[in-house]
Amino acid sequence: MNLIEREYEMSYKQIIAQLKRYHQRLNGSTVEYDLTFYQDVLHDIKKLSSSYINKSDNQIKSISQELINKAILNKNLYNLLVEAFVIVSEAVQRVLKLQPFDVQLTGGIAMHFGKIAEMQTGEGKTLTAVFPAYLNALSGIGVHVLTFNDYLARRDAHWMGPVYNFLGLSVGYVQEGMSIENRRKAYGSNITYLTAKEAGFDYLRDSLCYKSSDIVHRPFNFAIVDEADSIMIDEARIPLIIAGTSNEFIDNVTNMSQIARQLKENEDFEFDENARNIHLTEEGIKRIENILNLQNLFDEENTEDLSKLNCVLHAEYLLHRDIDYILRNGKVELVDEFTGRIADKRRWPDGLQSAIEAKENIHIQSGGTILNSITMQHFLQLYPKICGMTATALAAEKEFKEFYNLDIVVIPPNRQCIRKDYPEIIYKTKATKLDALIREIIEEHKTGRPILVGTQSIEESAELSNTLINAGIQCKVLNAKNDESEAAIVAEAGKPGAITISTNMAGRGTDIKLGGENEDEKKKVAELGGLYVIGTNRHESRRIDNQLRGRAGRQGDPGSSRFFICMEDDLFVKYNLKDLLPSKYVLNKDCEIIENPVIIKEIARVQRIIEGQNLEIKKTLYKYSAMLEQQRKIVFEKRDNILLKDIFIEFFKISSPNQYNSLLKKVGRCKFVDICRRLSLLQIDKAWSQYIAQIADIREGIHLLRLGGQDPIFKFREQSIQLFDQMMDELDYKTIVSFNKLKIKDNEIDLSDTGLKAPSSTWTYLINDNPFENMLGIQLIGNMNLSIGAGVYGFLFVIYALLKKRNKKK
């Protein structure tokens, strides 16, 4: 029994249900299908509901106030659950004129118990979240509802806000660009809607405050994560960064980018078999050494040039506009591979980001000095209690358990899904696939049925739409380049005859209503078979495919889906899947279509293997970041003690009594304490910023130790512990050295001689999952159980050959 459930009083039936869950866990399952426990609670809710129907609004509000008082005094929320859910249900019906479904109540119960509720698309998860949010907000210590984007945070707060207000609770929301005052007010509300990244960025900003009054967050309590698999799994290892102004000169990479463009494929450089990596040939190395007038490109003093060269090669030949990024308003904006949306405020690591900017001949922006960072995964783990909801949790079962210790509760749909998911059609080439897609769309369009086509990239969506337009078929395109038109395009996507070409933007959080808002057109579309969803690629994650399928067949509506894929799709090329398929199907030149259930099963199996591989990569990377996270907590605790308490001042009194007494006498205790606090915090911030820069440098190349038979994780931990201990040992000494340099100027204590000052400005961004980050380390993690071709071994050989060449030249 977990800590959340231990305090709850249970009936005999509830205990039996709990024992069944234990039996499931003993058998290795973290997924609950047996809803007996939740249904018993639901039965009590519905039984009590009948006595509340005739109560007046004032009586309902009075009961809510009584629950607030009980929660503040007792903190045992389970005893309040039934009555809390009953009055929320009543408030929803009276304020929003909506009747909550039983499955929404069940999902709310599961989330209150700290579970991931898997609820099918279109089941009304926004309303479901109100029940546990209200219950957990009763104690007055705050609930965060973490949404997929700013728009949803604002929409949901406005939409559900009247329900909370009716029951005597306040609600707020946080948006990018909001002032500190408005943020603090929003966080002070009983329920706050915001994105996980904004919550994380505010946490990082708070970590650099020099006055307690500047902090916007209060202690974390409970978080409800919408689209939990996307936020908690897909973006888990993406670091949130806060950076400050830097006086360092950022070298211009334009010259190196021009050199890269002069190089010739198969002469100066080569790709691996699957075009996932690029490496210089002997001829290419000689050519670059001549251009740069270098004796040996691999000499230690040329490390920076070599690093810059690698970045521009990857930027020039492996990253593509309108696939990996777009240009907008003179800036490079990254496209999120999972959502198809612009990855707001996200950058690649500075070297690669600068190389892309040089490639596109736009202003190269400085990354500044990183002051602090935290991964999304570690940030979410700061909440004492967390839960989530999504339509695609099962495929991420292992990740939820591994990283968050969260179980999944599968909630049945309110109405049975009648969508027809047809088998994939596999073509040998992209050309034949495109022809088949166009024919399929034209034929279905003749019936008047709305069609949604999910593509993998902006480039592909543009190509498909142009082909349709040339064929005389009008369509609308939804991708990262026109994301501001998303609401208008989605509103029309379910109307008769509508054709919508979209990237993954339409795959999550998008509610396409049959017929739009017109009931007559809804009936007409339903008679035609509902929305027809076509996928043009299979993705590495089954969850992305399932999210796309889930746009059709919502709430019992008719609909269907089918994927058109080919042997030249990125998934096939990237993982060399051609070698995994029986040769009799691949080598048959007379047949352009591969129709065999064995092949389809093989593709699904490969997706599962890739997901397993990615999990192993995440687990390994987590081992690296976990050490840094523990160290960050130690530093933050020390910082908080200085920021929020005055006991730190004794350190100065003991360490430097003469300076202490002199300054204290001249400026008074209040000013003296403030300047000592600021000096201590600045010293901590400087030391921590330098430390994480050192750790980043070590992390960048630590995986190469594997070639020498050493364990890189062990060595990384060993080195990071040594560096951290050294930093902490030196911190007090450096603080006293700075303290002794303090002087009085114009009756104020002057900090200028200490060399310590806060950055004049800061900004936040995310480091994108670099597609070329530590490829060697990733490939050497362990047995991948997936044949990805000789390219991997070629890559290792190239590294070996380059190292050998460097040593030979020495």
Side-chain angles (χ1 to χ4, degrees), residues 486-499:
E486 178 177 357
I489 293 173
V490 169
E492 302 286 326
K495 291 194 170 185
I499 299 177

Side-chain angles (χ1 to χ4, degrees), residues 113 141 547 565 686:
F113 280 91
I141 50 179
Q547 284 285 349
I565 57 181
K686 180 180 179 180

Side-chain angles (χ1 to χ4, degrees), residues 238-339:
I238 297 177
L240 287 77
I241 304 292
I242 185 166
T245 49
S246 172
N247 293 325
E248 289 184 27
F249 176 75
I250 303 300
D251 286 334
N252 197 322
V253 297
T254 303
N255 182 50
M256 199 66 77
S257 184
Q258 291 171 346
I259 292 173
R261 292 185 198 125
Q262 297 173 27
L263 302 179
K264 298 177 181 179
E265 186 178 349
N266 298 324
E267 189 174 316
D268 299 316
F269 66 88
E270 295 175 344
F271 295 107
D272 69 11
E273 183 179 352
N274 303 318
R276 297 173 72 182
N277 292 287
I278 187 172
H279 57 82
L280 295 171
T281 63
E282 287 284 341
E283 289 300 316
I285 293 170
K286 290 178 182 177
R287 182 169 181 174
I288 289 170
E289 288 174 340
N290 290 333
I291 293 173
L292 296 177
N293 195 25
L294 300 174
Q295 289 295 318
N296 182 3
L297 180 61
F298 300 95
D299 279 345
E300 192 169 336
E301 62 266 24
N302 299 326
T303 301
E304 188 174 341
D305 283 334
L306 181 60
S307 174
K308 200 178 296 182
L309 179 64
N310 281 324
C311 284
V312 296
L313 284 171
H314 280 97
E316 192 69 35
Y317 299 106
L318 292 177
L319 289 175
H320 307 287
R321 191 197 301 183
D322 291 343
I323 295 178
D324 302 295
Y325 65 91
I326 67 170
L327 291 184
R328 187 159 62 180
N329 299 324
K331 293 182 179 179
V332 170
E333 296 190 332
L334 278 61
V335 177
D336 189 309
E337 63 177 309
F338 293 106
T339 67

Side-chain angles (χ1 to χ4, degrees), residues 111-170:
M111 285 194 288
H112 170 69
F113 280 91
K115 312 284 185 179
I116 299 294
E118 177 168 285
M119 302 177 66
Q120 297 307 306
T121 54
E123 291 293 293
K125 289 187 283 292
T126 302
L127 179 56
T128 299
V130 174
F131 292 90
Y134 170 80
L135 176 57
N136 286 271
L138 289 174
S139 55
I141 50 179
V143 170
H144 291 174
V145 183
L146 303 177
T147 63
F148 196 57
N149 55 46
D150 269 2
Y151 162 72
L152 291 175
R154 184 174 65 254
R155 185 203 71 178
D156 294 352
H158 284 309
W159 187 12
M160 298 298 147
V163 175
Y164 298 121
N165 296 153
F166 181 85
L167 296 172
L169 296 183
S170 57

Side-chain angles (χ1 to χ4, degrees), residues 2 4 30 113-116 146 196 223 225 227-238 375-388 396-408 615 618-619 622:
N2 61 44
I4 296 172
T30 62
F113 280 91
K115 312 284 185 179
I116 299 294
L146 303 177
V225 185
E227 302 294 356
D229 57 323
S230 178
I231 293 172
M232 301 175 76
I233 305 300
D234 295 339
E235 301 204 3
R237 55 177 283 235
I238 297 177
T375 64
M376 184 68 73
Q377 189 174 41
H378 286 122
F379 170 70
L380 292 172
Q381 289 173 350
L382 295 176
Y383 288 90
K385 181 179 175 184
I386 192 166
C387 68
E397 173 192 354
K398 292 181 180 178
E399 285 98 327
F400 280 123
K401 194 63 179 177
E402 179 81 27
F403 300 121
Y404 302 98
N405 195 30
L406 290 175
D407 295 341
I408 297 168
L615 173 58
K618 288 175 185 175
K619 286 163 68 174
Y622 182 79

Side-chain angles (χ1 to χ4, degrees), residues 418-436:
I418 60 173
R419 184 185 67 242
K420 296 179 181 178
D421 295 323
Y422 294 107
E424 293 93 332
I425 303 178
I426 308 172
Y427 298 87
K428 286 191 176 180
T429 66
K430 283 188 176 182
T432 53
K433 182 181 79 170
L434 180 61
D435 289 342

Side-chain angles (χ1 to χ4, degrees), residues 493-625:
K495 291 194 170 185
I499 299 177
T500 308
I501 313 295
S502 176
T503 57
N504 290 347
M505 286 181 66
R508 192 183 287 273
T510 304
D511 189 9
I512 298 175
K513 297 180 180 180
L514 300 189
E517 299 295 335
N518 189 307
E519 284 298 319
D520 291 334
E521 289 192 346
K522 177 180 179 179
K523 184 178 179 181
K524 178 181 178 181
V525 170
E527 291 173 351
L528 292 171
L531 181 67
Y532 182 25
V533 172
I534 298 175
T536 65
N537 294 267
R538 289 291 289 269
H539 297 84
E540 290 187 13
S541 172
R542 291 169 292 164
R543 290 182 287 110
I544 299 177
D545 294 340
N546 291 337
Q547 284 285 349
L548 179 60
R549 286 192 181 102
R551 297 316 99 197
R554 299 161 72 86
Q555 274 294 313
D557 287 339
S560 61
S561 72
R562 189 191 290 276
F563 279 79
F564 287 68
I565 57 181
C566 79
M567 309 277 297
E568 295 177 349
D569 287 342
D570 287 351
L571 186 69
F572 280 81
V573 174
K574 186 175 181 180
Y575 292 98
N576 205 20
L577 302 190
K578 196 173 182 180
D579 290 351
L580 298 180
L581 302 180
S583 58
K584 64 179 180 179
Y585 300 114
V586 177
L587 299 176
N588 187 348
K589 296 181 180 180
D590 297 328
C591 183
E592 282 294 339
I593 300 178
I594 303 174
E595 292 182 296
N596 191 289
V598 174
I599 304 296
I600 294 171
K601 288 181 181 178
E602 187 68 15
I603 292 171
R605 185 183 73 84
V606 167
Q607 281 184 305
R608 290 193 296 271
I609 293 172
I610 294 169
E611 288 167 0
Q613 171 189 336
N614 289 336
L615 173 58
E616 290 303 312
I617 291 172
K618 288 175 185 175
K619 286 163 68 174
T620 300
L621 294 171
Y622 182 79
K623 291 175 183 177
Y624 284 106
S625 61

